[in-house]
Amino acid sequence: QSVLTQPPSASGTPGQRVTISCSGSSSNIGSNYVYWYQQLPGTAPKLLIYRNNQRPSGVPDRFSGSKSGTSASLAISGLRSEDEADYYCAAWDDSLSAPWVFGGGTKLTVL
Amino acid sequence: QITLKESGPTLVKPTQTLTLTCTFSGFSLSTSGVGVGWIRQPPGKALEWLALIYWDDDKRYSPSLKSRLTITKDTSKNQVVLTMTNMDPVDTATYYCAHLHGSYHAFDIWGQGTMVTVSS
């Protein structure tokens, strides 16, 4: 059972906009930044979003992040087949659960 | 360019101790704010954060695994070592080490991962 809650799956068609949610608590998302990772099949995770809504260099602006209260979302616009991957949210946690926590991951399928 | 690479045994027996080494380049673990962490992923399952060591030798562990984990660094060799005692088949996973960005305060660059199987 992950500390951050994500839907197990999401899907969309090419060109569509999809969003993936991440729910936490006051000790993690509610009081710290949210981060998003993309994990393509058979590869290591890649940082997509840091500090709620910032993109590292090289990440397309099709990817955007937002946060409100104890929840966060990752939006992908102009969906492409190469976006099919697992997506994980993460945050620092101020409680004893763990300093750094991940969501359970969302598998995005491009139909 | 920052790179990290994990190394260690691919197969360990139950009750044995696992020792993994992360060898990195492109940054110094003596730079303020920087860290190296370990994260694992059982086959088909989610990521699980294990441990983190900062430039100043501050160490953090997953509370659920704290009694079994030890993380150390050798700044001169650009290496971070993770040991996990009393291995069990449920510890079978791909183990990743990752660079903690000093400003982002996130794991921004990851190693390729190393698969460890626990079986007799």
Side-chain angles (χ1 to χ4, degrees):
Chain A
Q1 193 79 1
S2 300
V3 174
L4 304 181
T5 301
Q6 297 179 239
S9 63
S11 64
T13 56
Q16 206 173 21
R17 181 178 188 270
V18 298
T19 61
I20 297 172
S21 63
C22 176
S23 178
S25 68
S26 58
S27 66
N28 41 65
I29 293 179
S31 53
N32 293 293
Y33 291 120
V34 178
Y35 304 84
W36 290 92
Y37 292 87
Q38 176 193 59
Q39 187 176 31
L40 297 170
T43 69
K46 169 189 173 184
L47 181 65
L48 269 186
I49 298 289
Y50 68 96
R51 291 186 178 177
N52 301 335
N53 55 20
Q54 303 298 301
R55 286 184 304 277
S57 174
V59 174
D61 59 8
R62 301 187 297 107
F63 295 91
S64 62
S66 63
K67 176 185 129 172
S68 178
T70 59
S71 295
S73 292
L74 173 72
I76 308 172
S77 60
L79 197 62
R80 298 182 177 185
S81 59
E82 57 260 39
D83 297 332
E84 187 160 292
D86 293 324
Y87 292 84
Y88 293 89
C89 60
W92 291 96
D93 193 305
D94 298 331
S95 74
L96 295 177
S97 62
W100 177 268
V101 290
F102 286 103
T106 297
K107 181 170 180 56
L108 175 64
T109 301
V110 181
L111 302 170
Chain B
Q1 179 190 2
I2 292 174
T3 63
L4 305 97
K5 187 172 184 178
E6 307 86 353
S7 59
T10 58
L11 178 66
V12 297
K13 292 181 177 2
T15 75
Q16 285 187 335
T17 294
L18 171 69
T19 299
L20 294 173
T21 300
C22 176
T23 303
F24 57 86
S25 63
F27 69 96
S28 171
L29 201 38
S30 58
T31 300
S32 179
V34 170
V36 171
W38 286 92
I39 301 101
R40 72 178 178 180
Q41 185 173 36
K45 296 188 176 182
L47 300 168
E48 179 186 16
W49 174 79
L50 301 177
L52 167 63
I53 189 164
Y54 285 97
W55 85 101
D56 60 356
D57 210 37
D58 185 17
K59 302 167 187 176
R60 305 295 172 90
Y61 297 100
S62 168
S64 62
L65 294 167
K66 185 175 182 178
S67 63
R68 300 173 53 205
L69 295 173
T70 303
I71 189 169
T72 60
K73 64 180 176 71
D74 187 329
T75 305
S76 64
K77 291 183 178 180
N78 281 353
Q79 289 182 331
V80 171
V81 175
L82 180 75
T83 60
M84 180 180 290
T85 61
N86 194 24
M87 292 293 286
D88 183 272
V90 300
D91 297 313
T92 294
T94 296
Y95 287 75
Y96 297 98
C97 63
H99 169 262
L100 182 78
H101 193 287
S103 297
Y104 299 172
H105 210 210
F107 298 109
D108 63 329
I109 307 294
W110 295 53
Q112 63 188 24
T114 185
M115 179 65 192
V116 177
T117 301
V118 184
S119 174
S120 55

